[in-house]
Amino acid sequence: MNAILSVRDLTVSYRGVPAVTGYAVDLEPGTLTMMLGRNGAGKTSTLRGIVGFLPGETGRSNGRIELLGKPVRRPHPLTLSRAGLELIAERNKVFTGMTVDEQLRLVAPTKALKNQVLEYFPRLADRLMVRAGLLSGGERQMLATALALLRTPKVLLVDELSLGLAPGVVRELMQYLRRLADDQGLAILAADQSVSESLAVADRVQVMDDGLVVAEGAIDELDVEGVLDTYLGREKV
Ligand SMILES: Nc1ncnc2c1ncn2[C@@H]1O[C@H](COP(=O)(O)OP(=O)(O)OP(=O)(O)O)[C@@H](O)[C@H]1O
């Protein structure tokens, strides 16, 4: 096992009310793990619990986390970002008044890295002078992903990249995740509700229900039909 991020016994609660119990995952470089589950299943809480809540937030997490072989004693989004783990949050925040180029330049350590990241997102490259507030939903997700990549993470956690987007755009974004795992060797854990688009790109799948992982496995081992029928409703792949 060559896990770059390892999580065991993660619990997440809000004001003492548990939202996630006993979560575990191992992420290896170059792999894409998709976390599926209905609204309220605990996907966002799991990802937030891994990176840690900020003081003032109601969420609390507990568990054993190892990043690059080192135990993470008090997870905090900023320290983990510096250590190589980025969370692209649901309804991520981009600065709507700044152009795409201004935001990329703010974060990019070098122009070469900015150009390298833009190669993944030709649509963004075409919209460099556009204010982020005028981008489409899919383009905003691309910008948020590009900004995360400029911090050169080793592990990417992605929350609902597909939220509110048309299936064609979702497929495109999922292909970016696949390529980032394949080309850059990133270990990616992405929570999503777009089942068929997620299954099309995943190496492994975790299904969450009511705060628990209720099914998981490599994509070729998983009883997809059974999981769909039991936990995810009637959508067919
Ligand atoms: N800030 C919060 N305060 C209190 N309870 C919360 C908070 N955030 C989430 N919860 C609760 O935790 C549980 C899991 O929610 P979570 O958002 O993690 O699920 P999810 O699978 O990401 O759902 P969705 O797909 O709708 O975002 C739900 O019962 C939710 O009501």
Side-chain angles (χ1 to χ4, degrees), residues 198-216:
S198 297
L199 294 174
V201 293
D203 296 303
R204 290 185 65 81
V205 175
Q206 291 189 316
V207 182
M208 292 203 74
D209 194 37
D210 209 9
L212 295 168
V213 175
V214 289
E216 73 177 307

Side-chain angles (χ1 to χ4, degrees), residues 14 19 37-46 58 90 159-160 193:
Y14 299 97
R38 297 188 176 109
N39 288 115
K43 305 180 298 297
T44 298
S45 300
T46 300
T58 51
E90 187 181 15
D159 196 10
E160 297 277 358
Q193 290 201 46

Side-chain angles (χ1 to χ4, degrees), residues 95 98 100-109 114 147 150:
F95 294 101
M98 288 171 74
V100 170
D101 193 53
E102 284 166 347
Q103 297 193 52
L104 293 173
R105 278 195 285 131
L106 205 62
V107 179
K114 186 187 111 179
L147 289 169
L150 288 172

Side-chain angles (χ1 to χ4, degrees), residues 55-91:
E57 290 187 297
T58 51
R60 294 283 174 272
S61 65
N62 237 303
R64 298 198 308 283
I65 301 172
E66 273 192 13
L67 179 62
L68 293 156
K70 292 194 188 123
V72 177
R73 298 204 195 283
R74 285 170 196 241
H76 185 288
L78 272 182
T79 42
L80 285 174
S81 170
R82 286 191 202 111
L85 185 151
E86 285 292 329
L87 169 66
I88 302 174
E90 187 181 15
R91 299 182 199 285

